Amino acid sequence: MKDKDNVGILDTAVRSILSCILLALAVEGLYSNTTSLILAALGVVLWISSSTGVCLLYKMLGVDTYHKA
């Protein structure tokens, strides 16, 4: 069963860019291990939500930025 998309195109672009930045910062080794793990986890969550088009936080809050053309 596929969830209804609730992430719009602009939202997807922002999430993709942020996930790349967070993942890059996580693997650079500039921060402690704990901070790098948190950055990596946030980056992965943003990447998954941008690639699937479904955000669980949006679903819980009732937010929908996806507009059908």
Side-chain angles (χ1 to χ4, degrees):
M1 180 172 116
K2 182 168 175 8
D3 286 333
K4 181 182 168 288
D5 290 347
N6 63 353
V7 178
I9 197 149
L10 178 62
D11 208 359
T12 300
V14 171
R15 287 170 187 262
S16 297
I17 292 168
L18 281 177
S19 70
C20 289
I21 292 170
L22 291 174
L23 290 170
L25 287 173
V27 298
E28 264 315 300
L30 301 173
Y31 303 103
S32 67
N33 287 340
T34 305
T35 305
S36 292
L37 284 174
I38 292 170
L39 290 173
L42 288 173
V44 167
V45 168
L46 286 174
W47 177 75
I48 289 172
S49 68
S50 69
S51 62
T52 61
V54 178
C55 177
L56 297 177
L57 182 61
Y58 276 11
K59 194 171 281 296
M60 288 190 302
L61 296 175
V63 176
D64 187 1
T65 62
Y66 182 78
H67 302 290
K68 291 190 178 191

